[in-house]
Structures are given as structure tokens and as C-alpha cells.
Amino acid sequence: MDGRSHFHAELELLTDKLLRMAGLARKALEDSLRAFSGCDAALAREVIDRDAEINRMECELDETSLRLLALEQPVALDLRRVVGGMRMTIDLERVGDEALHIAERAIFLAQLPPAPMSARLDELAFRVSEMLDKAISAFHAGDMDLANEVCRMEAGISDLNVLVLKDALRMVEQSSCTSQALERSMHEVIAGRSLERIGDKAGNIAETTIFMVKGVSIKHRCRPF
Amino acid sequence: MAHKIKMAARTLDFYYGSFKALHDITLEIRENQVTALIGPSGCGKSTFLRCLNRMNDLIPGTRVDGELTLDGLNIHAPEVDVVDLRRRVGMVFQKPNPFPKTVFENVAYGLRVNGVRDNAYIAQQVEKSLRDAALFDEVKDRMYDSALGLSGGQQQRLCIARALAVAPDVVLMDEPASALDPIATQKIEELIHELKKRFTIIIVTHSMQQAARVSDMTAFFYMGKLVETDNTETIFTRPSNKQTEDYITGRFG
């Protein structure tokens, strides 16, 4: 028999809301990347407008978590779920912000002649998206193996972003580089930086999942335990 | 840091007649720490507490197997004087139970029973014990009034002062704040933090928040068995045992 069923029902609701927020953040990333690669200013503006909903959810989840801490005084797994949820909310809100930054770049790109996204940035976008998907799935299923896999992916993301930056520098150094190519390159570097940050946040979500399930903190050393 | 073990139970069984109330309890109580015993009603935590100063001896038909030590010496050894054991292992009960005497006499009682006749020494010890129990300032002008005129919280601190007056090593507390209001409870909890510097404290409590607030170690009992014992912080953040987690998070009972 569950002696605190009302509280545990609230915890389930908290998890459902977190997953909904994760879904919104994931969609923001996906659409911002589509807007960026397709130079689609309208879609980019949609991403920017929808960020308010992610921010609103952050406030709502914060309020719920504080209320549960103050009134229900959770312990053990329940405590870790509330505290972990608060950490994850912050990370998801930041994912939304970075997606918004990518969308802003897409609006600038839409004013330039169409050109394909660089292969390296495309790869970075694919890997970061995969990482965020896996981090959210790991949280949803409480899957430690998947969470550890996300942690292992983080180093590769930083390396790939360095290559995006190096490609841009090489291109700028070429005498044939036009001002438009330079501007495009600048937007790609900024988008690359945002993607790297989203990779960091996905890593944080995986760490938080491990904390919630096992009660072990692996922050700042993101390695399998 | 290695802690000195003040009391220890080793493979302890306890019976009320043919009913086995405690099963194979092995638990070490660290000196100058607060150990909380938690668990649902009937789990054996109060029975275990009363084993520690042989209060259960007063109940006919009870029996103990296994070993219980105080400073390494078996408290059931034939040479042990039970009155002296209870002086060294004092007790505070759930309901404040002052004697119908003056505040002064309540605290002096234990000393007189132990044969102390030096009135100046008794007066000095009474004041010291009342100060230790954080009560002196509130009763210093009422020392010769009846203790029954004190508030519930003051009466409970008087009972603590009475326990401290005979200079015990260990203080057992059986739900000491369950009959008190939140302010009086807070005073008792603050007092426990102070007292552990000089005494070893074992507390039975039904309030998990209280166990978390006041204790260093927590032991979880269930159906007469010790399920898990660990640092209080570990028990309340990441307990090892599923039964412990289910109990403290309210998933059973």
C-alpha cells in the first residue's frame, strides 16, 4: 500500500511535465536546424515565438518543485526526483535558448543567397540531436546504459565544434572569400557554439538521470561509474 | 574517522513469552553521536531501546538471547548492578512524567537515591543539570514550586535534567517530543544537538523529519528485524535497502 499516493501522483505529474518540456526543447532544436539549413526565416520566427512556452514551463516546474520540497519534505528517491527535476528544468530551458540563438542566425542566413550548410556543421547538428534524443530517452526510461552512452558522446561534440571553427578560419584566410561567405561562416560558427552548448546540456541531463536513479553524482567528470 | 563504540548488540533476540519480538539484531551505537531508531509501530524499535538499560526486565516472561554491551562489558553479566546500569543509561519517556514534587526535588531525586547527602553538591548538580537541559533560566525563580505547574515542554526538559543529574553515559529517548508542540519540539531537538557533545543518545521517533534533523546514524527496524543502518544522510538520500526506501518515502504502511 502506498501511504503517500497523492504525493507520488504529483511526482508522476512532475515527470510528465518534464517530458513535455523536453519535447518542446527537442522540437525547438529540430526546427531551428531545419530553419538554419533551409534558410527558412518563417520557421525560425516560430521557434523564437515558441520559446516563451518553454520559459513558462520552467517557471511552472520550479514552482511545483519548490512546493513539493516545502510541503511534502521528500526523501531518498523522491527527493532525488524533485532535485533532479529542478536541475533538468534549467538545462532544458537553456536548450530552448540555444535553439533560439540558432533560429536567430537562420533569419540572418535567409537574407543571403542560398547555400548548403557545411558538412561539418551538419554532422555536429546530427550528433547533438542524437545526443539530446538519447538523453531524454534515458531519463524517460531510467536507462543507465543509455545515460552513460550520452556522457561518452560529449567529448566528440567539443572536438567536432573545434573542426567547425577551424574550417571557418581556413575559409576566411582564402583570398577568394567574399563578404557574404564570411558572414555565412560567422553564423555557422555561432550556430556551432550553440550546438556544443546543447551537447553539454544533454550531458547534464544524462548525469541528472544517473543521480536520480542511483543517487550518485558524476557531475564535472561525466564518465560511466 | 573511527568512532568509539559505546554500546553494541550482537545477534540479539528478545522474547515476550513465546513471541519473538527482536530477531538477530546486531547494531553498534557510536559514542557522542545520536542514533535514531525508526520503523512502523510494532517493529521492535522501542523494545530494542528498552533492552539497552534492561527496562524490559521489569516485564514478566521476557527473555533475551545474544549479547548487549556497554563499553565492551556485557550488561547481562551476573555482576552487573541493574540500578547502576540504569544510572549510566538514563531514559526519557514519551510523556513527560515529573514526580509530584518541586522542580528542585525532581532533579535532586536521582542523586538522593544514589546516596548523595551533600546538600551543597546536590544544589550545584541540580543547577548544572537544569542548565544542561536548557531549562534553568525558565525555572530559576520557581525551583520550589511544583513541577506539575510547568508547561509540557518544560516538564519534558525537566525529565531530561533529571536523567542528566546522575551523570549518565547514554541517554535513551523514547519519542521525547511526540506529546509536545512545535516550539517545545524544536527546543528538545536543539538540546539533543548540544547534549551529544557529552552524552551518547539513542532516540526512538515516529517522525522521519525529526530523525533526519537530530541524528547522525539511523537504524530502520521492520517486523523485529534491523533492516538497515547507516549515516542518517545516506539513509535519507540514497538508502541501500528497498524496504528502507519504501518506508521513508511512504510507499508502504
Side-chain angles (χ1 to χ4, degrees):
Chain A
M1 182 188 132
D2 189 333
R4 301 189 74 189
S5 48
H6 76 284
F7 167 54
H8 294 135
E10 288 221 58
L11 271 184
E12 291 308 317
L13 203 61
L14 189 75
T15 303
D16 288 349
K17 281 184 185 169
L18 262 176
L19 284 169
R20 182 160 171 264
M21 187 179 178
L24 293 177
R26 176 68 190 86
K27 177 90 167 99
L29 173 63
E30 185 187 322
D31 287 348
S32 70
L33 289 171
R34 271 179 47 218
F36 191 92
S37 62
C39 301
D40 184 340
L43 183 58
R45 285 195 187 90
E46 265 185 47
V47 172
I48 293 167
D49 290 344
R50 289 200 311 254
D51 190 51
E53 174 62 6
I54 296 177
N55 294 343
R56 190 198 61 75
M57 285 206 77
E58 184 193 17
C59 297
E60 185 184 327
L61 280 160
D62 256 0
E63 204 172 299
T64 305
S65 303
L66 277 174
R67 182 171 54 77
L68 292 178
L69 284 175
L71 304 185
E72 301 289 350
Q73 298 163 17
V75 294
L77 174 66
D78 296 345
L79 175 65
R80 301 199 304 270
R81 281 177 73 178
V82 177
V83 172
M86 291 176 89
R87 288 182 190 166
M88 205 173 285
T89 303
I90 294 168
D91 286 324
L92 289 170
E93 194 274 334
R94 294 298 300 169
V95 169
D97 283 351
E98 296 301 339
L100 181 147
H101 293 155
I102 295 170
E104 285 172 345
R105 296 297 121 193
I107 292 171
F108 286 116
L109 278 186
Q111 292 158 15
L112 299 173
M117 190 156 91
S118 82
R120 203 86 81 176
L121 186 66
D122 197 31
E123 189 186 344
L124 180 61
F126 175 78
R127 285 220 222 157
V128 167
S129 299
E130 185 189 19
M131 208 175 151
L132 184 62
D133 281 346
K134 286 185 172 176
I136 294 168
S137 298
F139 164 64
H140 189 198
D143 185 335
M144 294 295 90
D145 292 338
L146 197 55
N148 279 318
E149 187 187 329
V150 173
C151 288
R152 284 193 296 272
M153 290 169 81
E154 218 177 323
I157 299 297
S158 301
D159 295 345
L160 198 51
N161 188 40
V162 169
L163 294 179
V164 169
L165 187 62
K166 282 184 176 169
D167 282 355
L169 284 173
R170 238 189 318 272
M171 206 268 294
V172 168
E173 282 165 6
Q174 287 171 5
S175 55
S176 58
C177 179
T178 64
S179 64
Q180 285 180 338
L182 177 65
E183 188 180 343
R184 171 175 297 283
S185 180
M186 186 189 75
H187 294 311
E188 289 204 345
V189 166
I190 293 170
R193 180 78 187 115
S194 283
L195 285 168
E196 190 195 4
R197 285 179 181 160
I198 291 172
D200 281 348
K201 303 302 165 198
N204 290 351
I205 291 168
E207 288 172 5
T208 299
T209 296
I210 291 168
F211 165 76
M212 284 166 138
V213 176
K214 293 278 182 192
V216 179
S217 177
I218 59 162
K219 275 163 81 75
H220 304 307
R221 50 193 172 96
C222 205
R223 61 163 192 249
F225 65 94
Chain B
M1 190 180 101
H3 292 270
K4 189 182 164 202
I5 302 306
K6 190 70 188 173
M7 296 195 81
R10 289 193 188 85
T11 61
L12 188 83
D13 295 329
F14 181 82
Y15 299 83
Y16 291 106
S18 60
F19 174 70
K20 192 173 183 180
L22 293 176
H23 300 252
D24 197 26
I25 307 294
T26 293
L27 177 65
E28 292 184 329
I29 305 292
R30 295 174 176 176
E31 188 173 54
N32 294 117
Q33 293 226 314
V34 180
T35 301
L37 311 180
I38 63 167
S41 295
C43 70
K45 56 190 188 299
S46 289
T47 297
F48 178 74
L49 189 79
R50 288 196 306 268
C51 283
L52 296 172
N53 66 350
R54 293 181 52 180
M55 287 292 275
N56 290 323
D57 290 10
L58 304 171
I59 304 170
T62 57
R63 181 163 63 87
V64 178
D65 284 340
E67 191 183 52
L68 257 176
T69 60
L70 172 62
D71 287 332
L73 298 173
N74 189 349
I75 66 168
H76 291 103
E79 65 274 19
V80 168
D81 173 353
V82 180
V83 174
D84 186 57
L85 172 70
R86 291 182 191 143
R87 183 196 64 73
R88 292 184 64 196
V89 184
M91 195 155 191
V92 177
F93 297 88
Q94 181 178 0
K95 262 186 88 177
N97 54 352
F99 303 133
K101 292 172 177 286
T102 64
V103 169
F104 185 94
E105 281 306 320
N106 262 275
V107 185
Y109 183 83
L111 294 165
R112 296 201 200 282
V113 165
N114 278 276
V116 180
R117 294 284 173 265
D118 179 343
N119 284 334
Y121 175 75
I122 290 174
Q124 184 191 351
Q125 286 305 107
V126 167
E127 179 175 335
K128 183 173 182 300
S129 303
L130 287 168
R131 284 189 190 281
D132 287 345
L135 185 61
F136 183 74
D137 288 343
E138 293 168 51
V139 298
K140 62 179 184 239
D141 301 322
R142 304 160 65 183
M143 294 291 258
Y144 299 99
D145 291 354
S146 168
L148 301 178
L150 301 179
S151 71
Q154 288 171 331
Q155 286 186 12
Q156 191 63 306
R157 278 179 287 143
L158 181 69
C159 293
I160 293 173
R162 192 172 63 192
L164 301 183
V166 293
D169 294 343
V170 179
V171 180
L172 310 178
M173 297 185 169
D174 194 356
E175 299 185 55
S178 64
L180 306 181
D181 69 28
I183 304 287
T185 298
Q186 206 172 22
K187 284 184 180 166
I188 298 284
E189 290 182 4
E190 273 310 299
L191 183 57
I192 290 171
H193 278 289
E194 279 304 307
L195 292 178
K196 75 171 182 180
K197 294 171 189 164
R198 290 167 40 218
F199 307 96
T200 300
I201 294 172
I202 305 158
I203 178 171
V204 163
T205 176
H206 272 124
S207 161
M208 245 105 50
Q209 281 76 27
Q210 183 170 72
R213 284 192 298 264
V214 304
S215 71
D216 303 291
M217 298 291 294
T218 295
F220 170 56
F221 284 71
Y222 185 54
M223 295 178 77
K225 293 178 182 161
L226 175 62
V227 175
E228 182 173 358
T229 180
D230 211 325
N231 293 315
T232 295
E233 186 181 331
T234 304
I235 292 283
F236 285 96
T237 53
R238 47 182 190 285
S240 317
N241 190 287
K242 177 82 168 54
Q243 275 186 320
T244 312
E245 183 145 276
D246 284 350
Y247 178 68
I248 63 173
T249 58
R251 285 184 167 80
F252 76 64

